[in-house]
Amino acid sequence: MASIQEQNAAIIAMEKGENGTRGIDHAAATKQRKPYDYGGNPLAHINTGDSVRLPAFGGEFQPGSYKSTEGRKFANPAPLGLSAFALTTFVLSLINLGTRGITGPSLVIGAAFAYGGLVQLLAGMWEMAVGNTFGATALSSYGGFWIAVGIILTPGGFGIVTSLTTAEGSVKPFLDSFGLFLMGWFIFTFILLLCTLRSTVAFFLLFFTLMMAFLLLGIGYLLNSSGGPNESCIKAGGVFGLLAAFLAWYNALAGIADPSNSFFLIPVAHFPWSDKGRAAREQVDNSGARADQTDMGV
C-alpha cells in the first residue's frame, strides 16, 4: 500500500515539475518573441549616435553637423534642387540686367513652373525624407517661390497684373505689391542665412548673395515713382542674382563630384569656428614649432 502511495506521490511530483518547466519555457518564449515587422515603422526613432554624425555642407544641403538616416534608400537630393534654383535664377537675372535688350520676363515662366518650381519642390520633399530639415525648408520654399513667380508673370492666364492695374493704366499697385512680396522673401532668406554661419564659406555666400538680390529687387519695385521699377536697383539685384546662381551651381557640383566620378573634389572652405574648422585645427601638429622654440630658449 505504501509503495502505491509513494508511486502516486512520485507521479504527482513529476507532473508538477513538468508543468513548472513548461511554464518557464512558455515565459521565456514569450519574452523572446519579436513583434511582426509590417514593412518598417516610419515614425520609429533610429539610434544614430555621434559616431555617424556627418559634417556641415560638403554636398548635403545642411548647414551644420547632422545625423544621417541609417541605410537610407534616397540619393542626395541637394544638387538637383540647387541646380534647378541656379538655372531659373540665372535666366531671370539676365532678364533683369537687360541682356541683349531682353526686358520681358516671359522666357522664365516655363523654367519657373517646371524646373525651378516643380523639380526644386520635389527635391525639398526628398530632403524631408532623408531627415534634413534645413534642406527641406529651403528647397521646398524656393520651389514654391518660383511657382508663385510663374503664376504672377503668366500673361493673361491668372490676371494678377491686370487686376492690380488702375483704370488709368497705372501699374503702381502691382509694383508695390510685387515689391512687398520680394521683401518678404528677403526676410525669409535672412533667417536661413543665420543658419549658415557655422557651415562653409560657399554655402554662406550663396544665401548672402540671394538675400541681397531679394533686397535690391524689392527696393527696386517699391521705388516706382517714375511709373516703373527703379532700373538701377533692378540691375544691381540682377548682378547679385547671377552671383547666387553661380554659387548654387558651385555648391551643387560639390555635392555631385566624388572620387567615383571626378578627379578632384570641390573645396567649400569651412569657417574656422565651424565644427569642421575646429576639428581641422585640432589635427594640426605644432610639436615641431614648439621644439624649435624650446631649443632657442624661448
Side-chain angles (χ1 to χ4, degrees):
M1 189 72 179
S3 60
I4 295 176
Q5 292 177 349
E6 290 176 357
Q7 290 177 1
N8 292 336
I11 293 172
I12 293 172
M14 290 175 62
E15 290 178 352
K16 288 182 178 180
E18 289 177 358
N19 291 336
T21 303
R22 289 171 185 168
I24 294 172
D25 292 341
H26 177 72
T30 303
K31 186 176 182 180
Q32 295 175 359
R33 183 180 300 158
K34 294 182 179 180
Y36 180 73
D37 182 9
Y38 295 93
N41 180 7
L43 301 179
H45 175 71
I46 300 175
N47 182 17
T48 54
D50 291 340
S51 61
V52 293
R53 290 179 70 87
L54 301 180
F57 186 84
E60 304 281 346
F61 202 70
Q62 172 59 257
S65 297
Y66 69 105
K67 296 179 180 179
S68 66
T69 302
E70 185 178 359
R72 74 182 187 186
K73 296 182 180 179
F74 289 93
N76 178 13
L80 174 62
L82 286 166
S83 298
F85 171 83
L87 186 139
T88 316
T89 304
F90 175 77
V91 173
L92 184 58
S93 297
L94 289 177
I95 294 173
N96 287 332
L97 286 171
T99 306
R100 300 186 66 85
I102 301 173
T103 56
S106 298
L107 182 64
V108 80
I109 294 174
F113 275 120
Y115 198 32
L118 177 60
V119 172
Q120 190 175 184
L121 179 62
L122 291 174
M125 293 297 100
W126 287 321
E127 288 282 6
M128 189 88 67
V130 301
N132 184 357
T133 303
F134 181 91
T137 303
L139 293 180
S140 301
S141 297
Y142 290 124
F145 164 78
W146 281 117
I147 294 175
V149 169
I151 291 173
I152 293 170
L153 297 181
T154 298
F158 297 90
I160 295 177
V161 178
T162 305
S163 64
L164 291 173
T165 303
T166 64
E168 294 78 17
S170 173
V171 293
K172 180 176 174 56
F174 167 74
L175 297 176
D176 290 335
S177 300
F178 198 60
L180 294 174
F181 173 75
L182 293 173
M183 294 303 288
W185 285 99
F186 157 72
I187 296 172
F188 173 73
T189 306
F190 174 73
I191 293 172
L192 294 182
L193 177 71
L194 296 178
C195 298
T196 66
L197 293 174
R198 295 184 61 184
S199 61
T200 67
V201 176
F203 204 44
F204 170 82
L205 288 177
L206 166 60
F207 284 91
F208 175 77
T209 52
L210 180 59
M211 179 192 70
M212 293 301 299
F214 278 127
L215 176 62
L216 290 168
L217 291 173
I219 293 175
Y221 277 94
L222 291 173
L223 297 179
N224 51 52
S225 57
S226 60
N230 185 280
E231 186 175 350
S232 298
C233 288
I234 297 299
K235 287 189 175 181
V239 171
F240 276 101
L242 279 180
L243 293 175
F246 283 111
L247 284 166
W249 270 319
Y250 184 88
N251 281 277
L253 180 58
I256 297 172
D258 58 37
S260 70
N261 58 27
S262 176
F263 290 107
F264 56 89
L265 298 180
I266 305 301
V268 289
H270 291 268
F271 283 119
W273 55 80
S274 66
D275 293 340
K276 192 80 171 180
R278 289 200 300 269
R281 289 200 307 273
E282 291 173 358
Q283 293 175 358
V284 176
D285 185 8
N286 294 320
S287 58
R290 285 194 290 266
D292 293 339
Q293 291 180 350
T294 301
D295 295 339
M296 294 173 62
V298 178

